Amino acid sequence: MPIFEIDGKLWLLETKHQAYAIGFTEKGFLVNTYWGERLDNIRNYPLPRDHFASDSFDSEFETLPEEFPVLNGMKFVEPCLITRFFDGTRDLELDFEKFELDPQANFLRIYLSDSVYHFRVVLNFRVYEHEDIIEKWIEIENMDGVNDAIVKRIFSGNFCLGGEHDYRIIHTWGKWFNEMNISDDSLIHGKVVLESRRLTTSHHHNPSVIFYPNKICESHGEAYAISLGWSGNWKLVAEKNSLEKTRVTVGINDWDFELVLKPQQTFQTPPIYFSWTDQGIRAISHTFHNFIQSHLLPHPNKPRKVLYNSWEATFFNVNLVEQKKLAEMAAGVGVELFVVDDGWFHGRNSDQAGLGDWWPDAKKFPNGLQPLSDFVHQLGMDFGLWIEPEMVNPDSNLYRLHPDWVLHFDKRKQTLARNQCILNMAIPGVQEYLFEKIASLIEDNDIQFIKWDMNRNVSEPGWDREDGGSSCEIWVRYVEGVYSLWQRLAMAFPRVLWQTCSGGGGRIDTGIFRYADQAWLSDNTDPLKRIFIQEGYSLFYPALTMESWVTESGYENTPLDFRFLVSMSGVLGIGSNLLHWSDTEMKIAKKWIHVYKEHREIIQFGRQYRLISPRESEVSAIAYQNDDCSKGVLFVYNRKMESESQTVIIYPLMLERNKVYQFDGLENRQSGADWMQNGVPLVLSGFSALFVPYNML
Ligand code: DGJ
């Protein structure tokens, strides 16, 4: 059983390999006594212990591994919850109230409450035993019948990393056009803060991070992984205090945040998914890839189609005649999904106008989109469309009708970015308008795929609330608005697949993957850069979600084969203008699309192995292998300029030792042990790439 309860005081949460234990100390504090390897015997887990103040400056809370520290008493660690009550008290004293355990659902709830201010905190835990993931989140409730409670901060949780190690943190950072760079840094005495204040997850830091105490590599080493399932402002604080204790708190960013809980109102935080391993970074990646696929994605088992996207081919210059020609060319090389990007809707000829007016532009599509959609379907492809629902150009019918629908402060000038404003997704009328418009588009045009974009960060985050609530709730209510619109659309159109995009990788997290099936990682499609972006992405997010297009970007250095092989390591797409491709290029495209289709099951649903990182060598390699290890594919990329051929040896660490394998193009039939020991010799010239399928015999 994954959750054990002992005397109503101690709870043990176990997955296949990890365990997480919490319990009350004698003094009544709820502490996290253990997070690490699952032990053989329940008796071996440490029991809750009280701590004591070391001097009059440091109370016991500096070392006590509290499960959910709140602002109270003499406490200087980061609190997860900061409240202000009607009489000005800014202190919360929580006592145990009760717990509920649902063994069928592997679900535990621990209720704590402040009896003076009638405020309740419920800690929720769900265990995914076979997936090695535990999920936790918080609910708060103002049980006072009369007074409001002000919440200045409500994080989803806290982690106390064991021992007194010098922990390090691995996370991805970047900016637009340069997302998902992997960094590996030590935690200093003091705090490391990662966050987004941009309304979305942001290109800058990703809220899925790994902590580790000693050494780590792909296949060895202890690691603690934490991922926040939230697509708005977020904050992660990792603190190593002067008493050598390391804690991590994470949740919705408290920057400019305030929540007013009216009497009897509740609030639920986004979830944190976490996992421990001693098998290195690859094990964390495999755990999250599997979990995201099996528990978050709306269409977990649907093979992703080879797509064509018009953006880099035509930009805003979309019209029926040319799109039809492109569709014909795309179908001819084997594309399965044709996606019309930005530029198709009313008044959209550049980024100056049109956003908000979600109906086909009459000049470009005199009879609407249906003729194009029909044409695409007749060619045997699915039809997809780009939208940017949350945005509006001042030059649009929507803005002229509802200028009050955008985020703004009445007496401040609006800052435009890409000539657009942000609709306030917290307003029900906005959601209603968007639902109606998007639903008609899908219905009228038989759409199978939607790319949901979001192309600016926030400014003037004002909100004239009619109910008198705090406008600082916008950070939360906006994201809830996006989720709720998406959810409603997903329920109305269960067969549509969705892509998350925010100018590339600005909204990628374990929150959005409950709605989106795949992601656009970056507007940078140069394969030499993409190799790095895709590696960073793969730390947590699966190849099944990783859309990657072949474009003209990087063509000076990288031949078309190379560009295909980079894109084929995820969900393959083409973004080039096919009308400009030569017969030879079309033949190359046809060949690789055919090969991709033959092997996509392994790439999209198999396990990924980062064999040689592009950060370590100019020759990098990744592999995908099916679960029973009988089939796999190897991608090898050479970023060296020299044109002479060289032999590189790739060590395929994932084979079954006692089985015999053959790699395409090599005559030898050797045992897995042999290949793993002596490597696979492959010949590569400068700026070239190889695709090598292999089989167990
Ligand atoms: C940003 C996206 O990342 C691009 O792929 C494209 O859809 C443009 N927006 C369109 O405006």
Side-chain angles (χ1 to χ4, degrees):
M1 194 175 66
I3 306 183
F4 298 92
E5 168 262 316
I6 300 153
D7 300 335
K9 271 204 214 147
L10 186 64
W11 295 270
L12 178 59
L13 284 61
E14 287 187 332
T15 65
K16 214 164 33 166
H17 298 109
Q18 74 172 327
Y20 191 83
I22 46 178
F24 284 98
T25 67
E26 290 280 307
K27 287 198 209 167
F29 297 120
L30 183 62
V31 293
N32 167 218
T33 59
Y34 184 83
W35 182 18
E37 183 179 8
R38 177 178 173 153
L39 305 179
D40 294 343
N41 192 319
I42 248 186
R43 280 196 297 271
N44 295 340
Y45 289 103
L47 292 172
R49 289 195 187 95
D50 278 304
H51 287 207
F52 298 93
S54 54
D55 48 61
S56 62
F57 294 93
D58 288 308
S59 74
E60 65 219 85
F61 298 114
E62 297 303 301
T63 56
L64 190 73
E66 269 192 290
E67 171 59 23
F68 192 72
V70 300
L71 188 68
N72 119 289
M74 186 173 164
K75 192 184 291 182
F76 304 102
V77 300
E78 281 293 331
C80 284
L81 176 57
I82 302 178
T83 47
R84 194 175 71 231
F85 294 110
F86 65 93
D87 61 358
T89 297
R90 305 185 307 283
D91 185 281
L92 190 65
E93 219 169 79
L94 295 176
D95 295 314
F96 179 53
E97 200 189 318
K98 60 175 179 175
F99 77 96
E100 287 163 0
L101 176 57
D102 178 346
Q104 254 76 51
N106 297 332
F107 183 33
L108 170 67
R109 283 161 74 79
I110 298 177
Y111 292 71
L112 310 174
S113 56
D114 186 312
S115 55
V116 175
Y117 290 100
H118 308 292
F119 193 89
R120 180 185 268 165
V121 175
V122 187
L123 281 62
N124 297 271
F125 300 86
R126 183 173 286 123
V127 177
Y128 300 86
E129 187 181 10
H130 300 291
E131 292 78 1
D132 255 330
I133 291 275
I134 303 175
E135 175 185 7
K136 68 178 180 181
W137 71 96
I138 301 296
E139 278 161 51
I140 50 177
E141 184 182 354
N142 177 11
M143 298 191 299
D144 192 304
V146 183
N147 300 295
D148 291 354
I150 310 293
V151 179
K152 300 293 294 174
R153 169 190 288 186
I154 172 69
F155 284 166
S156 299
N158 169 75
F159 295 89
C160 300
L161 304 182
E164 296 187 353
H165 303 283
D166 291 326
Y167 281 95
R168 293 179 67 88
I169 175 172
I170 298 176
H171 89 288
T172 54
W173 62 275
K175 63 190 280 287
W176 174 76
F177 216 66
N178 181 16
E179 296 88 339
M180 299 277 170
N181 298 284
I182 299 178
S183 75
D184 181 340
D185 304 290
S186 27
L187 296 185
I188 51 162
H189 276 104
K191 290 174 190 170
V192 170
V193 179
L194 304 177
E195 64 175 354
S196 165
R197 298 177 175 185
R198 293 165 183 263
L199 191 61
T200 53
T201 329
S202 96
H203 303 81
H204 291 248
H205 298 279
N206 197 269
S208 296
V209 303
I210 297 172
F211 293 91
Y212 67 97
N214 299 306
K215 283 209 159 72
I216 200 162
C217 65
E218 278 292 314
S219 51
H220 296 95
E222 211 179 353
Y224 300 83
I226 295 170
S227 175
L228 180 69
W230 183 241
S231 314
N233 282 6
W234 60 276
K235 183 171 179 182
L236 179 145
V237 184
E239 175 174 22
K240 180 177 183 183
N241 72 8
S242 305
L243 289 99
E244 306 300 331
K245 295 293 175 202
T246 303
R247 282 191 181 77
V248 183
T249 49
V250 62
I252 294 171
N253 204 332
D254 58 344
W255 175 80
D256 191 36
F257 171 85
E258 186 179 76
L259 192 67
V260 179
L261 278 192
K262 305 231 169 285
Q264 314 303 335
Q265 259 187 353
T266 59
F267 179 74
Q268 183 175 320
T269 70
I272 310 173
Y273 306 106
F274 60 97
S275 189
W276 170 92
T277 186
D278 60 358
Q279 304 292 308
I281 301 173
R282 185 190 304 139
I284 291 293
S285 301
H286 285 176
T287 296
F288 274 87
H289 293 177
N290 175 39
F291 177 72
I292 290 171
Q293 190 208 329
S294 52
H295 289 277
L296 301 184
L297 296 182
H299 299 96
N301 303 317
K302 225 176 183 170
R304 305 304 192 240
K305 298 199 165 173
V306 177
L307 68 89
Y308 180 80
N309 179 292
S310 66
W311 177 241
E312 293 196 27
T314 60
F315 291 104
F316 298 101
N317 192 14
V318 170
N319 61 66
L320 180 62
V321 177
E322 199 178 0
Q323 292 293 314
K324 273 180 152 181
K325 282 192 202 149
L326 283 169
E328 250 173 348
M329 302 292 272
V333 291
V335 165
E336 300 160 302
L337 161 65
F338 186 82
V339 185
V340 179
D341 208 283
D342 198 349
W344 59 267
F345 49 97
H346 180 69
R348 188 67 165 175
N349 296 310
S350 70
D351 63 12
Q352 304 274 334
L355 291 172
D357 295 349
W358 299 112
W359 56 91
D361 185 82
K363 288 197 195 105
K364 298 178 178 182
F365 297 97
N367 299 311
L369 286 171
Q370 210 186 335
L372 178 58
S373 162
D374 287 349
F375 187 74
V376 166
H377 288 129
Q378 278 152 20
L379 289 168
M381 296 185 289
D382 283 354
F383 184 59
L385 201 61
W386 175 96
I387 50 170
E388 195 178 359
E390 302 147 77
M391 296 293 149
V392 61
N393 287 117
D395 186 359
S396 66
N397 288 351
L398 179 65
Y399 187 85
R400 285 184 278 274
L401 213 57
H402 294 289
D404 51 323
W405 273 6
V406 304
L407 295 178
H408 70 283
F409 292 124
D410 278 345
K411 299 192 176 52
R412 294 283 172 234
K413 198 168 135 253
Q414 262 161 248
T415 309
L416 297 182
R418 210 192 191 208
N419 309 303
Q420 59 201 56
C421 307
I422 304 180
L423 287 173
N424 184 342
M425 295 297 291
I427 299 176
V430 170
Q431 289 189 36
E432 206 44 52
Y433 170 83
L434 291 172
F435 179 81
E436 193 240 298
K437 285 282 170 283
I438 301 168
S440 339
L441 279 171
I442 296 176
E443 266 161 10
D444 297 349
N445 303 297
D446 191 9
I447 286 175
Q448 285 78 41
F449 180 90
I450 295 275
K451 170 174 176 177
W452 184 314
D453 204 348
M454 199 300 190
N455 278 304
R456 63 160 292 184
N457 285 151
V458 68
S459 63
E460 298 87 34
W463 174 17
D464 301 326
R465 288 184 72 163
E466 281 162 14
D467 61 0
S470 165
S471 62
C472 293
E473 283 181 26
I474 189 63
W475 304 110
V476 173
R477 305 304 177 197
Y478 179 95
V479 182
E480 288 176 347
V482 172
Y483 285 164
S484 120
L485 173 63
W486 209 322
Q487 174 77 16
R488 215 175 135 196
L489 288 162
M491 281 171 71
F493 303 100
R495 281 203 282 276
V496 170
L497 263 72
W498 304 81
Q499 183 214 95
T500 174
C501 171
S502 175
R507 190 155 56 189
I508 291 172
D509 53 79
T510 43
I512 210 71
F513 280 130
R514 283 172 304 199
Y515 309 95
D517 296 284
Q518 54 199 64
W520 183 232
L521 276 53
S522 178
D523 281 344
N524 192 335
T525 52
D526 183 334
L528 294 182
K529 177 63 192 164
R530 200 83 185 183
I531 289 177
F532 290 85
I533 296 174
Q534 294 184 175
E535 185 189 44
Y537 183 84
S538 76
L539 281 186
F540 280 84
Y541 307 113
L544 178 66
T545 62
M546 190 178 84
E547 199 178 308
S548 189
W549 315 336
V550 174
T551 69
E552 295 318 296
S553 189
Y555 81 98
E556 318 81 5
N557 297 320
T558 45
L560 192 53
D561 293 300
F562 190 107
R563 285 180 271 149
F564 261 98
L565 289 180
V566 171
S567 296
M568 280 166 60
S569 67
V571 177
L572 174 62
I574 299 182
S576 290
N577 192 330
L578 294 177
L579 304 174
H580 299 162
W581 275 12
S582 65
D583 287 351
T584 316
E585 286 172 315
M586 293 300 274
K587 268 192 200 133
I588 293 176
K590 202 169 180 171
K591 177 187 92 181
W592 285 124
I593 290 174
H594 177 74
V595 171
Y596 180 75
K597 286 180 185 166
E598 275 189 328
H599 296 277
R600 85 170 125 200
E601 195 173 332
I602 297 175
I603 297 166
Q604 296 183 0
F605 298 98
R607 282 175 180 245
Q608 190 202 54
Y609 294 82
R610 292 174 292 256
L611 298 180
I612 309 173
S613 165
R615 290 171 296 141
E616 284 159 16
S617 155
E618 283 178 306
V619 176
S620 59
I622 45 171
Y624 296 84
Q625 186 170 276
N626 65 0
D627 276 347
D628 66 11
C629 307
S630 63
K631 273 186 193 157
V633 297
L634 212 60
F635 290 91
V636 187
Y637 308 110
N638 184 7
R639 307 191 319 281
K640 272 193 204 153
M641 295 239 276
E642 298 102 69
S643 53
E644 293 117 63
S645 299
Q646 61 168 137
T647 301
V648 294
I649 310 285
I650 307 294
Y651 294 90
L653 306 156
M654 59 286 168
L655 306 181
E656 287 270 316
R657 283 189 165 68
N658 291 305
K659 303 283 179 190
V660 174
Y661 288 88
Q662 181 161 30
F663 284 77
D664 273 21
L666 298 179
E667 277 175 14
N668 316 18
R669 297 166 165 220
Q670 293 170 195
S671 70
D674 197 337
W675 286 120
M676 291 197 278
Q677 177 145 326
N678 296 307
V680 183
L682 298 169
V683 181
L684 276 163
S685 53
F687 282 138
S688 68
L690 289 178
F691 177 77
V692 189
Y694 59 89
N695 284 292
M696 192 189 266
L697 297 175

